[in-house]
């Protein structure tokens, strides 16, 4: 339960087993530590929105405290403040991330794919735009890479988490796609999807494919090495999407994961490719 509204980063241990933490290992030590600090910020604001034991008003107050601190650059955790200054990060990007998490406090629906993309921009694309600063990217085109990869990763997350989100009363699949494929919200909430559920999932997966390809098309030689962590993330999530697709999107029966040894093999393959 939230009792102290003072902005604090998530415990480092809570971020150690994620795909992102795995991918960040290839960064130089100073950049890796900065990226992990930023990730602890992302994790804590996401946790605030998801905390089941707190009322929506309390969650909003906690997130508002973060936004006020970011706007004024006062009262921030010292580690995060140093990262912002060192890598010249626009605080508005971090505020956008908080606003995206704020959208998760109360279950909501997205009417169109464009509405969903607006949400994804906040919770994923803004994360990418901050990350490329920490990674040391120099080519302006890398912003396009970050945006497209943000959409690709978030679409993949949404597909993977359909069952878990529905159990919490959340449905991120846009209403226009539900209607197109005759899938009712009620059937998703009951974990018994109606209509052409697989076709719906495949359509959103197709949008993820397009974003993965667009990210790849915007990868420049200048920032190829700096974006190695992002490229590993892209490969891991691409494998995750492939796994879900080949298994018929059994998202109400299981949570799809990439085993650690497979992630290591993916990282090695991407690192080798990056040298050529």
């Amino acid at each position: 339960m939230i009792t102290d509204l003072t902005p604090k980063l998530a415990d480092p241990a809570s971020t150690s087993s994620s795909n992102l933490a795995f991918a960040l290992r290839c960064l130089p030590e100073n950049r890796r530590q900065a990226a992990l600090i930023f990730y602890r910020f992302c994790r804590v604001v996401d946790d605030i929105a998801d905390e089941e034991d707190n009322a929506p008003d309390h969650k909003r107050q906690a997130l508002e405290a973060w936004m006020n601190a970011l706007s004024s650059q006062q009262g921030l955790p010292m580690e995060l403040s140093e990262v912002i200054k060192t890598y010249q990060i626009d605080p508005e990007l971090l505020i956008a991330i908080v606003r995206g998490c704020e959208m998760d406090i109360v279950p909501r629906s997205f009417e169109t794919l464009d509405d969903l993309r607006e949400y994804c921009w906040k919770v994923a694309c803004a994360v990418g735009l901050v990350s490329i600063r920490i990674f040391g990217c120099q080519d302006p085109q890398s912003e396009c890479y970050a945006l497209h990869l943000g959409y690709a990763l978030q679409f993949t997350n949404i597909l993977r988490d359909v069952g878990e989100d529905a159990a919490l009363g959340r449905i991120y699949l846009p209403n226009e796609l539900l209607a197109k494929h005759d899938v009712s919200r009620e059937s998703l909430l009951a974990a018994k999807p109606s209509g052409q559920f697989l076709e719906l999932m495949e359509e959103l997966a197709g949008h993820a494919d397009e974003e993965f390809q667009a990210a790849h098309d915007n990868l420049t030689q200048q920032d190829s090495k700096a974006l190695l962590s992002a490229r590993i993330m892209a490969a891991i999530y691409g494998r995750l999407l492939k796994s879900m697709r080949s298994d018929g999107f059994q998202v109400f029966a299981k949570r799809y994961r990439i085993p650690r040894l497979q992630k290591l093999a993916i990282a090695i393959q991407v690192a080798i490719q990056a040298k050529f």
Side-chain angles (χ1 to χ4, degrees):
M1 179 175 291
I2 300 170
T3 56
D4 183 2
L5 297 181
T6 304
K8 296 182 178 66
L9 298 175
D11 188 306
S14 69
T15 64
S16 60
S17 61
S18 69
N19 288 330
L20 179 59
F22 180 89
L24 293 176
R25 293 185 178 185
C26 66
L27 287 173
E29 179 65 16
N30 61 328
R31 295 188 185 277
R32 184 171 70 87
Q33 289 303 321
L36 287 172
I37 289 167
F38 169 56
Y39 181 34
R40 287 166 59 197
F41 156 76
C42 295
R43 182 61 183 265
V44 75
V45 294
D46 185 57
D47 286 348
I48 289 171
D50 288 344
E51 176 58 58
E52 295 182 6
D53 294 334
N54 274 286
D57 285 347
H58 291 165
K59 296 179 183 181
R60 290 191 183 91
Q61 290 173 13
L63 293 180
E64 189 69 32
W66 266 107
M67 288 188 279
N68 289 337
L70 288 165
S71 295
S72 65
Q73 291 296 287
Q74 300 292 325
L76 288 173
M78 183 175 63
E79 294 168 290
L80 182 62
S81 183
E82 286 300 315
V83 169
I84 291 171
K85 293 176 183 176
T86 299
Y87 296 96
Q88 299 180 334
I89 295 167
D90 183 355
E92 289 298 323
L93 290 173
L94 279 72
I95 292 172
I97 295 168
V98 180
R99 292 196 183 283
C101 293
E102 188 178 37
M103 295 172 70
D104 286 331
I105 291 177
V106 177
R108 55 165 295 168
S109 63
F110 297 91
E111 289 301 320
T112 67
L113 184 62
D114 284 343
D115 292 335
L116 180 61
R117 289 176 69 88
E118 181 180 351
Y119 165 79
C120 293
W121 192 97
K122 293 182 174 73
V123 299
C125 299
V127 173
L129 292 174
V130 172
S131 297
I132 61 174
R133 301 288 299 184
I134 296 173
F135 294 168
C137 293
Q138 301 295 321
D139 193 321
Q141 191 170 327
S142 291
E143 291 190 4
C144 294
Y145 178 93
L147 291 172
H148 287 297
L149 184 59
Y151 288 123
L153 298 182
Q154 194 61 27
F155 286 163
T156 304
N157 275 334
I158 288 169
L159 289 164
R160 179 194 62 191
D161 295 342
V162 165
E164 292 181 10
D165 287 333
L168 297 173
R170 297 174 175 174
I171 297 174
Y172 291 89
L173 301 172
N175 288 338
E176 67 177 2
L177 293 188
L178 295 177
K180 177 180 178 180
H181 297 286
D182 196 28
V183 177
S184 70
R185 294 176 61 84
E186 292 74 21
S187 71
L188 295 179
L189 295 174
K192 297 178 180 179
S194 60
Q196 295 78 49
F197 177 69
L198 291 183
E199 287 82 352
L200 185 159
M201 297 289 278
E202 184 58 48
E203 181 166 346
L204 186 57
H207 289 294
D209 287 337
E210 292 171 358
E211 296 296 343
F212 278 122
Q213 184 61 51
H216 177 76
D217 292 345
N218 279 281
L219 179 66
T220 67
Q221 185 65 36
Q222 182 179 7
D223 285 342
S224 177
K225 183 176 180 181
L227 286 169
L228 181 57
S229 289
R231 295 169 65 186
I232 291 171
M233 281 288 288
I236 290 173
Y237 272 74
R239 181 72 60 84
L240 182 64
L241 184 60
K242 181 179 180 180
S243 177
M244 289 190 287
R245 181 180 267 139
S246 64
D247 195 38
F249 293 101
Q250 299 294 316
V251 292
F252 287 97
K254 64 176 76 172
R255 179 178 177 82
Y256 291 90
R257 301 178 186 276
I258 301 300
R260 185 175 183 81
L261 286 178
Q262 282 191 31
K263 289 195 287 189
L264 180 59
I266 290 169
I268 291 172
Q269 182 180 19
V270 173
I272 292 173
Q273 291 172 346
K275 293 181 179 180
F276 297 95

